[in-house]
Amino acid sequence: QVQLVESGGGLVQAGGSLRLSCAASVRTFRRFAMGWFRQAPGKDREFVAAISWSGGRQSYADSVKGRFTISRDNAKNTLYLQMNSLTPEDTAVYFCAARDFLQIASIPGDYRYWGQGTQVTVSS
């Protein structure tokens, strides 16, 4: 069983930055590809970014490319999402997710484990 706990969300003004963290309670963290998703009220959960087991490969949604950076520290069992140049359209609950494969994916159904989410609100 993998437990994921997100932190770092909050309220920020447009143009600001936030750094999300996701702590994983599993010793084999390096065996999981990881992803970030978000869900705004009334909308489906959407892909934000993903990273391979080693961190050597990343993938981003077009809407965040160039502004967000996904990274991981396998020694600390932690996933990160650095978010810069935030806009009100980035307002959502952000979830981290883990899949039982080494390579990345962008579909929520490809991820087996999910955190409880952290709220990010960007004011205009």
Side-chain angles (χ1 to χ4, degrees), residues 52-74:
S52 62
W53 70 277
S54 66
R57 183 179 178 189
Q58 304 94 41
S59 178
Y60 297 92
D62 288 342
S63 59
V64 307
K65 202 170 293 183
R67 299 188 299 122
F68 290 11
T69 302
I70 189 171
S71 62
R72 65 190 295 164
D73 186 336
N74 286 344

Side-chain angles (χ1 to χ4, degrees), residues 70-124:
I70 189 171
S71 62
R72 65 190 295 164
D73 186 336
N74 286 344
K76 295 182 178 179
N77 288 3
T78 304
L79 175 73
Y80 303 99
L81 185 68
Q82 178 67 44
M83 305 186 295
N84 299 328
S85 302
L86 286 161
T87 73
E89 288 70 36
D90 295 316
T91 295
V93 178
Y94 283 71
F95 300 88
C96 71
R99 66 190 305 257
D100 295 294
F101 297 92
L102 302 180
Q103 297 305 319
I104 59 178
S106 61
I107 300 173
D110 287 338
Y111 289 80
R112 182 176 181 183
Y113 304 101
W114 292 84
Q116 83 289 349
T118 185
Q119 176 71 47
V120 172
T121 303
V122 184
S123 63
S124 58

